[in-house]
Amino acid sequence: MASADAVVAHGAALPDAGWLTALLCLPAMGPRRLGALLDGRSPAEAWAAVCSGRPLAEVAAVVGGRVGALTGEWARAARDIDPELVWSATLNAGLEVIAHGDDAYPRCLLDDPEPAPVLFAVGRVDAVAVPSRVAVVGTRRCTRYGRDVATELGGALAAAGVAVVSGLALGIDGAAHAGALAAGGAPPIGVVATGLDVVYPAANRRLWNRVAEAGVLLTEAPLGTGPRAWRFPSRNRIIAGLADVVVVVESHATGGSLYTVEAALERDRPVLAVPGPIHSPASQGTNHLLAEGCPPLCRIDDVLTALGLVGSAPLPPDRRPSPGEPDRRVLEAAGWSPTTLDALARRVDLPPVDLASSVARLVRSGWFDEERGFYQRVR
């Protein structure tokens, strides 16, 4: 086995970011473990320590009794990793690699309690330097109500010059960025949990590309990194750190967005929650936040107030035809929760044929959304 000096000499031309990239390619290498490895070592020296295969006392405090097995696993994996080839592949992929302390590193993350040692970026890195940023987070299993709120919120914030930050997941995250992209204005910021060559979820590929073109995609995962459960809560701390305010649109009783809330509170970032129907499982988490004292977001201007900005967020005009009778009565009876034709029939005194015709008109004109036999009002 090569000595530590020989390992460092072999890659002497590599910058610190190159050694950090190689270290992040090791199995189960997260920010805390990497931080422990870098305690008192340069990135090159940390790589040499890994290659030595010796149990590392600094890592023991993070991983506990597994330190011997883990450092042995790292040493075996390091034999198949050439840091110079990894660094070359990263640069050839067109990624910008930003190490902690570099000029391009986001200033809001410099003093973070758990900063990413290195960030990989594609797009406009200066997008992070906009004056105000708001994270819009929520459940992947959102309702039409939640999707509409997130889209409207994303669009209004971007039009007001506020960058929208999200994790580019299905549901609320994707809706917020779709709204921001449609409005133009401030560049969007996406923070993902995989390598920038591994689109997850695959259904959001087009959204990823649009965010990268209009703003920036960030990750602390090197190329080739696929989705791992532990990476998503880790990613969420970066979302919270980048944001001046965090807004939870919809959340189930448990879910990833609540990790973002926890990370935001640890970083003294204000958190706002959108109230939802008490019978909706998708609003259980947000309503619980409200019950615990979280400020509500009842209109878009509430976010601007939390940011200390003056003025109103612009809303796009509603170009749908105004519903007439009896469609207006059907809309009022539906409320804002998913409902069925049978439920509407109990609330509206209309013959079944007339009710079905009214619902069909409302769907065609964009006032109702139908999914698997349930109808929901569209804002």
Side-chain angles (χ1 to χ4, degrees), residues 150-208:
T151 303
E152 181 181 317
L153 178 60
L157 288 172
V162 178
V164 174
V165 186
S166 92
L168 277 173
L170 296 173
I172 296 301
D173 286 24
H177 264 154
L181 288 163
I189 302 169
V191 187
V192 301
T194 60
L196 292 175
D197 59 334
V198 181
V199 178
Y200 183 84
N204 273 357
R205 180 177 298 276
R206 184 169 180 269
L207 186 62
W208 274 49

Side-chain angles (χ1 to χ4, degrees), residues 28 35 94 113 123 159 170 265-266 275 287 299 314 332 341 343-344 361 367:
L170 296 173
L265 296 177
E266 289 174 354
N287 289 342
R299 56 179 189 153
E332 292 172 354
L341 275 176
L344 285 172
R361 284 193 300 271
W367 289 97

Side-chain angles (χ1 to χ4, degrees), residues 20 23-24 26-41 46-47 49-50 56-67 69-71 73-74 114-115 117 220 230-231 234 237:
L20 290 170
L23 286 163
L24 286 168
L26 297 171
M29 180 61 78
R32 292 183 182 177
R33 292 170 180 179
L34 182 54
L37 268 176
L38 295 172
D39 186 14
R41 298 186 181 93
W47 180 260
V50 164
L56 302 169
E58 300 87 345
V59 181
V62 178
V63 301
R66 284 194 62 230
V67 63
L70 184 60
T71 52
E73 185 179 1
W74 284 346
E114 195 177 334
E220 60 182 337
W230 66 269
R231 288 192 175 276
S234 183
R237 85 188 194 286

